[in-house]
Amino acid sequence: AALAMRGAQLAGAQALTLGLLTTPQLHHIVRMSNGAAGCAAVGSRWGLPEWASEAGYYEMLAGAYAELVGVGERGAPAAVASPLDVDCACGIGAPAVERLAAALTAKLGAGAPALRVVNAPGSGELNTGCGAEHVQKAREPPRGLESVQAMVAGRAASLDGDADRIVFHYFTHAGGWALLDGDKIAALVAGFLREQLRSALRGHT
């Protein structure tokens, strides 16, 4: 890290040490920092300057979730949200999930969803038998969530090692395992839109 910073400085760039972050957090801080520096051409939608930090990342997400469930900072308490088991692939996403859970609790109190971390750093090899890529490609639940009994929350999310990919999965009432594959859904939507465009343009070319 020190060598990378030195190289950036020699190239005339400003280098900052932000510590260990997930990839989405790094992108978020860069975007918000650029906005705070005067690049907010899109207006207030860019975000608040104080969001340009790891703490700001959690504040933004927790605030957005509170608005989504209809609760502002001074709103009525939310109904208790369903819990979620989060497979963190033994990566940096684990401490981020724990801090996000704390931010959600600060916003919503007892109404915040309980996020249980599974496969935290130190519990195994990164992305081995766990994580979003393993779950999607192997079409099987990650280690630690292999059964109805192990998946305490009844539903789960799997991140990859740097937490920039996520898939959701659960066990059905019949005991079968089901994967909500975003890639497949996106491909089906793209195919549908293509057919709609072809139909709309037919006879106009």
Side-chain angles (χ1 to χ4, degrees):
L3 287 175
M5 287 189 66
R6 182 58 179 157
Q9 290 166 351
L10 289 173
Q14 179 184 4
L16 300 173
T17 300
L18 298 174
L20 296 175
L21 298 172
T22 67
T23 297
Q25 286 174 332
L26 180 60
H27 292 173
H28 165 84
I29 292 172
V30 169
R31 176 178 180 268
M32 292 300 158
S33 296
N34 287 339
C39 298
V42 295
S44 61
R45 289 175 296 171
W46 186 271
L48 303 175
E50 53 266 35
W51 286 352
S53 65
E54 183 184 3
Y57 177 81
Y58 303 124
E59 174 67 20
M60 182 190 72
L61 290 182
Y65 181 82
E67 287 189 21
L68 181 66
V69 298
V71 178
E73 292 184 0
R74 298 179 182 178
V80 177
S82 299
L84 181 69
D85 292 327
V86 186
D87 161 31
C88 293
C90 304
I92 191 62
V97 167
E98 291 172 345
R99 291 167 191 151
L100 176 59
L104 288 167
T105 299
K107 285 282 186 186
L108 299 172
L115 305 179
R116 183 175 74 101
V117 169
V118 181
N119 296 320
S123 63
E125 189 175 346
L126 184 70
N127 290 326
T128 301
C130 58
E133 187 171 357
H134 167 80
V135 169
Q136 186 192 33
K137 291 184 177 178
R139 288 295 195 272
E140 64 182 20
R143 68 166 187 265
L145 296 172
E146 302 98 331
S147 66
V148 175
Q149 293 74 25
M151 193 178 289
V152 177
R155 57 180 185 161
S158 285
L159 307 173
D160 65 350
D162 62 343
D164 65 351
R165 182 177 178 81
I166 187 170
V167 294
F168 291 88
H169 47 99
Y170 62 97
F171 283 95
T172 66
H173 293 299
W177 180 76
L179 171 66
L180 301 177
D181 187 338
D183 287 349
K184 185 174 181 180
I185 293 171
L188 290 171
V189 170
F192 170 77
L193 292 176
R194 181 186 61 186
E195 292 305 315
Q196 294 301 305
L197 285 171
R198 283 179 175 174
S199 176
L201 294 173
R202 193 168 293 129
H204 295 281
T205 58

